Amino acid sequence: MNKVFNKSLKWSTGIAVITLVLAAIFSVVSTLSLEGVNWAAGMIIVFMIVLIGVIFDIIGVAATAADEVPFHAMASEKVKGSRQAIAISRNADRVASFCNDVIGDISGIISGTASAVVIVQLTDAFGGDDATAFQYIVSIVFTSVVAALTVGGKAFGKSFAIHFSTSIIFQVGRVIYFFEERLKLKQLISQPARTKFKRNTKGK
């Protein structure tokens, strides 16, 4: 029991620290991106933040739904990204926690903050006052649209992730392989225990 508790505490502490750092980075980048741009560009930035949250939510769901077996067959053929895909499947709980909870929640918070900035920009562009009915209408409409896109996008993404989980995780594995091998980075996800993969020689 103590071992499980200590392991969970260590993981949750690490996630909290990662979230703190990433939230600060996202906040700084979004703030700098919104400075000096008009409301139309600001809207695009907000929608991009929402899209990032949806994409990572899809990856998180796909990680928990993906079947590991096809990746073993790919690994036996030395397909690039297959071992990374196995690592994702075997660390599905942590991948889902990072993608859904960390990136997903940060995106939701940052998009809300960015929306407030865009609303102010839009109000100023049309000569509205902070206390006018126009400002309230813009605030309600834009906030509702962002919320609808976030929830609707994640709802669609979950269904998509469940049906195409294996393909999604394989593509994510290929991306991780690129960063690990081509850019000479250390492994981004803990690799699974080494397993000997044998070709299926039946019928040959």
Side-chain angles (χ1 to χ4, degrees):
M1 180 66 72
N2 289 334
K3 185 177 180 180
V4 174
F5 176 79
N6 290 334
K7 185 177 180 180
S8 299
L9 181 62
K10 183 179 179 180
W11 166 246
S12 59
T13 302
I15 278 293
V17 173
I18 292 172
T19 302
L20 178 65
V21 174
L22 289 179
I25 294 173
F26 269 57
S27 181
V28 170
V29 171
S30 63
T31 300
L32 292 176
S33 300
L34 289 170
E35 285 186 357
V37 301
N38 57 33
W39 59 268
M43 282 186 176
I44 294 174
I45 292 172
V46 171
F47 293 146
M48 287 178 63
I49 295 172
V50 171
L51 181 61
I52 289 172
V54 172
I55 290 174
F56 274 87
D57 192 71
I58 290 173
I59 295 173
V61 174
T64 61
D67 184 7
E68 185 180 325
V69 175
F71 302 136
H72 286 284
M74 295 179 190
S76 69
E77 300 291 338
K78 299 182 187 270
V79 177
K80 295 177 180 179
S82 56
R83 286 189 176 274
Q84 286 74 14
I86 294 172
I88 293 172
S89 297
R90 291 189 178 179
N91 292 278
D93 56 339
R94 296 189 176 189
V95 173
S97 179
F98 177 78
C99 292
N100 298 99
D101 299 332
V102 178
I103 303 299
D105 290 349
I106 290 175
S107 297
I109 294 170
I110 299 301
S111 64
T113 304
S115 295
V117 175
V118 173
I119 290 168
V120 173
Q121 292 174 338
L122 185 58
T123 302
D124 291 341
F126 287 91
D129 195 336
D130 288 343
T132 61
F134 176 75
Q135 194 270 344
Y136 290 117
I137 293 173
V138 170
S139 177
I140 292 171
V141 171
F142 190 65
T143 302
S144 299
V145 170
V146 171
L149 289 175
T150 301
V151 176
K154 289 186 176 183
F156 171 79
K158 282 181 172 60
S159 177
F160 180 79
I162 291 172
H163 286 88
F164 301 98
S165 57
T166 301
S167 298
I168 292 170
I169 295 305
F170 174 59
Q171 295 304 322
V172 174
R174 292 182 64 184
V175 172
I176 294 175
Y177 172 85
F178 173 81
F179 283 104
E180 288 181 353
E181 303 295 330
R182 300 297 177 85
L183 301 184
K184 306 301 180 184
L185 296 178
K186 294 181 179 179
Q187 61 184 41
L188 301 180
I189 298 180
S190 298
Q191 293 294 323
R194 290 187 178 277
T195 305
K196 292 183 178 180
F197 300 99
K198 296 181 179 180
R199 295 174 179 268
N200 185 358
T201 57
K202 292 182 177 180
K204 292 184 178 181

